[in-house]
Amino acid sequence: MKVLVTGGAGFIGSHTCVELLNSGYEIVVADNYSNSKPEALKRIKEITHKDFRFYECDIRDRTAVDAIFDENDICAVIHFAGLKAVGESVAKPLWYYSHNLTSTFTLCESMKAHGVDNLIFSSSATVYGNPASVPVREDFPVGPTTNPYGETKLMQERILRDMQKAGDINTVIILRYFNPIGAHESGLIGEDPNGIPNNLLPFVSQVAVGKHPYVRVFGNDYNTPDGTGVRDYIHVVDLAKAHVAAVRRALDSEGIQYYNIGTGVGYSVLDVIHAYEKATGKTIPYRICDRRPGDIDSVYSDPSLAVEKLGWRAEYGIERMCIDADRWQTMNPQGYGD
Ligand code: NAD
Ligand code: UFG
């Protein structure tokens, strides 16, 4: 019995593959390398000293996905594959709706045809839109979302809810991630953004190694203690471990379940910059700039449902997230290379 990991060469997928293998699961990975490199898979093998089967394919290709289920005894699927850049989704909404929804349709049709009953889906805190209060619990209202990417996540959640209700799939676990950062402690795998990073931590890491002169802090007039945006940053290895816990739970339960995956602690942009400086001894110059359109004041999770039902909780704090991100950036200044 194996776990299929779609998008397993990506940032969160690669760390999850490591944790699954280290926990004794056999895995099969599928990825089209649209936002990742084969080197990531080599590094997973280097870290774990374990091998696995890989399919270079697009999850929207039904024939290719059918072949994976035909050739392997899959008990559960973790579905990471998808497009995730908020700004790009605003510029190319049709591409995002088409890509993210079609890959989930194709995967689910093939799972149904092959009687595969357990799905863990990568969702996002973005489905809560601008929450009325924090910390955010799973029973808070979802939507309206603030961009097409977030809308695709919400639509996929609803499609999976309806399919589970209709009996097409037995168990669906929706994990709503907050802000994943950091890297594996080996420094061998991490986040490898294309071009200039949009997200805070990869940008801070690049400032730390001199790729950019300073961090642009997007606004200091938010309704937060220091005026900069507050988010719930979670170490990617903790997030990966949440997937192992979710697979275990899926194999032992039924229905649709939603879990916030965060630490429950909010840090401001300035907190992150200062934590990075303290953790690494490096100076991070910054400048206060205008707000970034679409950003909100404060979002952090109440992760207590995941603690109770998945038996999982985040272990690493912000300092460790910064140390591991900095090690990855320093050891791999060009990411995985070309
Ligand atoms: P990523 O881009 O690093 O990984 C996604 C992987 O999927 C890549 O390896 C890419 O090549 C692959 N892929 C994309 N479309 C594919 C397709 N049609 N067929 C096969 N492979 C395909 O992204 P990530 O940060 O690891 O995110 C993984 C998932 O988690 C995504 O669904 C994302 O929306 C979700 N998520 C990410 C964040 C975050 O901040 N990183 C937050 C919330 C949710
Ligand atoms: N920020 C800066 N400067 C930067 C980048 C970001 O000040 O160069 C600030 C933002 O204004 C925000 C905070 O840092 O206050 C975090 O921004 P990120 O872009 O790192 O993360 P977001 O919370 O905006 O969005 C992320 C993912 C989304 C996902 C969301 C919730 O990018 O895909 O978390 O999970 F939907």
Side-chain angles (χ1 to χ4, degrees):
M1 299 275 268
K2 296 175 181 169
V3 178
L4 170 62
V5 184
T6 77
F11 172 45
I12 305 169
S14 57
H15 289 81
T16 301
C17 289
V18 167
E19 297 307 318
L20 286 166
L21 290 166
N22 283 344
S23 302
Y25 287 94
E26 285 187 76
I27 62 170
V28 175
V29 175
D31 203 300
N32 65 357
Y33 294 135
S34 58
N35 197 34
S36 54
K37 309 243 167 64
E39 181 64 22
L41 299 181
K42 276 195 210 154
R43 304 252 183 120
I44 295 169
K45 293 176 188 175
E46 196 179 331
I47 293 168
T48 60
H49 305 290
K50 289 188 179 158
D51 206 355
F52 51 85
R53 198 156 177 185
F54 173 67
Y55 290 81
E56 183 172 350
C57 69
D58 195 306
I59 300 302
R60 294 169 296 172
D61 177 347
R62 175 70 194 270
T63 308
V65 176
D66 278 345
I68 300 174
F69 290 114
D70 287 339
E71 292 165 17
N72 300 279
D73 186 12
I74 305 287
C75 63
V77 179
I78 306 179
H79 184 33
F80 292 109
L83 305 178
K84 64 162 186 177
V86 172
E88 189 183 41
S89 80
V90 174
K92 300 180 188 171
L94 179 58
W95 173 235
Y96 266 66
Y97 285 114
S98 168
H99 192 115
N100 285 355
L101 296 182
T102 307
S103 50
T104 295
F105 292 150
T106 305
L107 177 67
C108 289
E109 280 165 2
S110 187
M111 284 178 71
K112 187 179 170 193
H114 290 82
V116 179
D117 257 339
N118 301 291
L119 178 65
I120 288 104
F121 177 67
S122 292
S123 191
S124 166
T126 196
V127 299
Y128 296 113
N130 192 351
S133 64
V134 280
V136 179
R137 286 197 319 270
E138 291 82 351
D139 59 0
F140 275 29
V142 289
T145 57
T146 50
N147 55 73
Y149 161 72
E151 197 61 25
T152 70
K153 287 293 174 197
L154 188 52
M155 290 167 95
Q156 288 172 93
E157 283 200 5
R158 288 180 168 147
I159 291 159
L160 294 172
R161 175 199 62 192
D162 293 346
M163 283 185 58
Q164 195 284 325
K165 198 170 166 192
D168 289 337
I169 185 164
N170 209 35
T171 310
V172 177
I173 297 191
I174 308 264
L175 300 182
R176 292 174 176 158
Y177 315 154
F178 282 67
N179 289 56
I181 61 170
H184 191 262
E185 63 175 353
S186 63
L188 291 174
I189 55 173
E191 189 168 8
D192 184 15
N194 282 327
I196 297 173
N198 294 309
N199 295 116
L200 178 63
L201 220 282
F203 198 92
V204 170
S205 298
Q206 293 195 359
V207 170
V209 295
K211 277 194 171 182
H212 311 285
Y214 57 87
V215 178
R216 289 179 301 150
V217 176
F218 295 142
N220 67 347
D221 57 352
Y222 284 102
N223 184 20
T224 61
D226 67 16
T228 66
V230 167
R231 298 290 184 274
D232 184 344
Y233 297 93
I234 175 165
H235 197 297
V236 65
V237 171
D238 275 331
L239 177 56
K241 288 177 180 169
H243 291 79
V244 179
V247 169
R248 208 174 291 129
R249 169 97 182 152
L251 297 175
D252 197 30
S253 64
E254 295 192 340
I256 183 144
Q257 305 166 47
Y258 302 86
Y259 298 107
N260 285 340
I261 305 297
T263 63
V265 182
Y267 288 103
S268 73
V269 177
L270 293 182
D271 288 337
V272 171
I273 291 174
H274 296 319
Y276 203 98
E277 290 183 316
K278 190 163 168 236
T280 63
K282 297 175 181 171
T283 303
I284 309 293
Y286 66 87
R287 285 188 198 169
I288 306 295
C289 303
D290 289 344
R291 287 182 175 208
R292 185 172 67 176
D295 277 349
I296 51 184
D297 301 85
S298 184
V299 195
Y300 56 92
S301 67
D302 176 345
S304 49
L305 191 65
V307 174
E308 183 195 334
K309 302 282 188 194
L310 299 180
W312 165 92
R313 74 167 71 234
E315 290 169 23
Y316 298 128
I318 190 77
E319 188 174 342
R320 176 64 185 268
M321 300 179 211
C322 293
I323 289 172
D324 288 342
D326 193 64
R327 186 185 300 108
W328 156 255
Q329 178 66 54
T330 308
M331 285 173 62
N332 308 272
Q334 308 306 328
Y336 290 114
D338 291 324

